[in-house]
C-alpha cells in the first residue's frame, strides 16, 4: 500500500482565500512533492485564517489533522513553510512533540525534517521561534499603523455613529440624521421625557442606525452620551493603555451639550435623593398642578389644621432661579394661573375614601386578600408574591407604553390627513408602530393570563366576609396609617 503525504494549506486572510492564488501554489507544490516521493496525497485545506486564529481549537481543519497525527494515521506531513502550521510557539511545540512521538516526517518547499533526529528537531525549533518573532513583529507593525491612522482622524472599524457617514474612511456629517440628533438633544435639554422623544421619532419615521424599526430607550440614552456630536471621540489602545482623542465634525453647540449633561445630572440626583421631610404628606408626588403640571407641595400647621394646604410651588421655584422684584413676588397668578390651595386634611380624606371604594371593588385587591386569607396552599398555586407583583408592575409599564403608541398612531394619522407624509412614508411608519403595538399587546396578554390564570383549578372558599372585614379596618382614616397599596 502506497504511503500518503498529508498536505496542509492555509493563507493568512480570507481575501487571499477568495483569490485562491496562494492556496493553489501551496497545493501544487505539495502534490509535486508527493509525486516526487512516489506517494499518494490527501489535501487538508484550512482556507483563510489570520494570525488571530493561531490556536488549534480556532482552526477546525488543523484540529482534525492533529487528531489524525495522534492516532498514528499520519506519517508524512507537508506544509508550504513553517508559518502555515502556526507562528505560535505553544502550538508549534505541541506539533513537534506529537510528530516526534508518532514518527512523523515533516516536509516543506525546501526539504524535509525527521523530528526523531536531534539535528532536524533543533532546526525545526529555530524555524518555529523565527516564525513566532515574525508574527509578533507583524502584529506590532499593524497596531502602530492603526494608531497612526487614528491620529490622522481615520475611522477604524464598525459603522459610524448616528448622524455621520464615512467618506474616505473619515467621519462627515449626514445632515438628514444630524437634524434629528439636534432634535433629541434639544428636547431632552428642555426636560421632555425620553419616552415622548421616542414617540415623536417613531411617528416621523426616523429609524435608528443599527436596527430598522422603532427606537429603543437604551439607544437614545447611549446617543446622549456620544461625544462625537461635540467634535471628538476617544480611542484606547489596550496593549499600551494609551488614549487618543480624535477630532471629528461637530453637530452640537457646547452650550446645548452642557445643558443636556446638566439635565442628566439633575435627573440622577432626583432619582438618588432621599430628602427627609418634617411632616407626613399622604399625597406627596401624587398631585400635580392642573395649570402648569408642577408637583404640588404641602405646608402643615399642626396647631391650625385649617391652614395646612397643598399648593403649586412654581412661583417659589422661580425665586430661586431668578431675581424677582419684591413687589412682584406675591402677585397672584404671576408664575402659574393656579391661585387657590387645597386643605390637606379634607383632600386626604376625600382621596382616601375614594380609594377605599375603588379597592373594595378591585379584582386584583380581592385576589391579594384571598392569598393572605387562604394561606400557603393558595399561595403555592398562585406563584410567589414577588412574581405576581413583578408581573403586575410590568403590565402597568406596558400599558403606559401602549398609550404612547396610540398617541404616535394619532400623530401619524394627522400627518397623513394634512398630507405631510407621502403614502410610502405613511405605510412604513404605520407598519413600524403597528409592529411595536402588536408586540406590546401580546406581552400584556401573556402576563395578564399568568396573573389571572393561576388558581383556575384550586378550591374556592367563602372568603368574602373576611375580605369585607379587612376593608372595614381601613374605614377609619388616619393619614400615617395608609397601607402600601396607596
Amino acid at each position: 500500500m502506497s504511503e500518503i503525504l498529508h498536505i496542509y494549506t492555509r493563507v493568512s486572510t480570507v481575501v487571499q482565500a477568495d483569490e485562491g492564488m496562494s492556496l493553489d501554489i501551496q497545493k501544487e507544490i505539495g502534490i509535486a512533492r508527493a509525486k516526487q516521493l512516489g506517494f499518494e496525497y490527501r489535501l487538508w485545506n484550512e482556507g483563510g485564517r489570520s494570525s488571530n486564529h493561531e490556536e488549534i481549537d480556532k482552526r477546525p481543519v488543523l484540529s482534525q489533522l492533529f487528531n489524525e497525527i495522534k492516532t498514528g494515521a499520519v506519517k508524512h506531513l507537508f506544509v508550504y513553510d513553517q508559518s502555515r502550521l502556526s507562528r505560535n510557539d505553544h502550538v508549534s511545540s505541541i506539533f513537534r512533540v506529537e510528530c516526534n512521538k508518532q514518527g512523523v516526517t515533516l516536509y516543506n518547499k525546501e526539504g524535509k525534517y525527521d523530528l526523531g533526529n536531534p539535528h532536524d528537531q533543533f532546526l525545526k525549533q529555530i524555524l518555529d521561534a523565527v516564525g513566532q518573532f515574525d508574527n509578533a513583529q507583524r502584529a506590532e507593525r499593524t497596531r502602530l499603523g492603526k494608531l497612526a491612522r487614528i491620529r490622522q482622524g481615520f475611522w477604524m472599524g464598525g459603522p459610524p455613529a448616528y448622524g455621520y457617514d464615512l467618506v474616505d474612511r473619515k467621519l462627515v456629517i449626514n445632515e438628514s440624521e444630524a437634524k434629528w440628533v439636534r432634535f433629541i438633544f434639544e428636547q431632552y435639554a428642555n426636560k421632555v421625557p425620553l419616552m415622548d422623544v421616542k414617540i415623536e421619532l417613531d411617528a416621523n419615521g426616523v429609524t435608528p442606525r443599527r436596527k430598522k424599526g422603532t427606537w429603543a430607550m437604551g439607544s437614545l440614552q447611549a446617543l446622549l452620551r456620544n461625544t462625537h456630536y461635540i467634535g471628538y471621540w476617544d480611542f484606547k489602545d489596550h496593549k499600551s493603555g494609551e488614549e487618543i482623542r480624535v477630532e471629528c465634525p461637530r453637530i452640537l453647540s457646547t452650550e446645548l451639550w452642557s445643558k443636556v449633561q446638566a439635565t442628566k445630572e439633575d435627573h440622577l440626583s432626583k432619582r438618588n435623593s432621599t430628602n427627609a421631610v418634617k411632616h407626613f404628606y399622604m399625597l406627596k408626588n401624587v398631585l400635580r398642578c392642573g395649570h402648569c403640571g408642577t408637583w404640588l407641595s404641602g405646608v402643615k400647621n399642626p396647631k391650625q389644621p385649617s391652614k395646612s394646604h397643598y399648593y403649586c410651588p412654581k412661583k417659589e421655584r422661580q425665586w430661586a432661579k431668578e431675581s424677582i422684584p419684591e413687589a412682584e413676588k406675591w402677585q397672584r397668578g404671576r408664575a402659574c394661573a393656579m391661585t387657590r390651595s387645597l386643605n390637606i386634611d379634607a383632600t386626604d380624606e376625600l382621596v382616601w375614601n375614594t380609594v377605599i371604594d375603588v379597592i373594595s371593588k378591585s379584582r386584583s385587591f380581592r385576589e391579594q386578600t384571598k392569598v393572605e386569607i387562604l394561606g400557603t396552599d393558595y399561595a403555592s398555586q398562585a406563584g410567589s408574591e414577588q412574581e405576581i407583583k413583578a408581573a403586575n408592575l410590568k403590565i402597568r409599564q406596558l400599558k403606559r407604553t401602549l398609550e404612547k403608541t396610540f398617541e404616535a398612531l394619532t400623530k401619524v394619522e394627522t400627518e397623513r390627513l394634512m398630507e405631510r407624509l407621502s403614502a410610502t412614508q405613511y405605510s412604513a411608519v404605520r407598519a413600524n408602530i403597528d409592529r411595536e403595538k402588536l408586540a406590546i399587546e401580546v406581552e400584556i396578554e401573556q402576563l395578564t393570563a399568568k396573573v389571572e390564570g393561576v388558581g383556575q383549578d384550586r378550591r374556592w372558599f367563602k372568603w368574602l366576609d373576611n375580605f369585607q372585614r379587612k376593608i372595614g379596618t381601613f374605614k377609619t382614616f388616619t393619614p400615617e396609617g395608609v397601607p402600601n397599596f396607596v
Side-chain angles (χ1 to χ4, degrees), residues 52-65:
N52 293 325
H53 298 83
E54 290 296 336
E55 298 297 334
I56 294 178
D57 59 352
K58 293 181 180 179
R59 288 157 62 181
V61 176
L62 185 64
S63 179
Q64 294 173 27
L65 175 60

Side-chain angles (χ1 to χ4, degrees), residues 398 433-444 446:
L398 288 170
I433 298 176
D434 281 342
R435 277 195 296 271
E436 184 172 11
K437 173 175 169 289
L438 179 62
I440 294 170
E441 289 174 342
V442 169
E443 191 170 358
I444 289 175
Q446 291 172 343

Side-chain angles (χ1 to χ4, degrees), residues 459-470:
R459 294 178 298 119
W460 290 90
F461 292 87
K462 293 182 179 179
W463 55 270
L464 188 58
D465 290 342
N466 303 71
F467 174 75
Q468 295 296 345
R469 279 197 296 272
K470 184 167 185 178

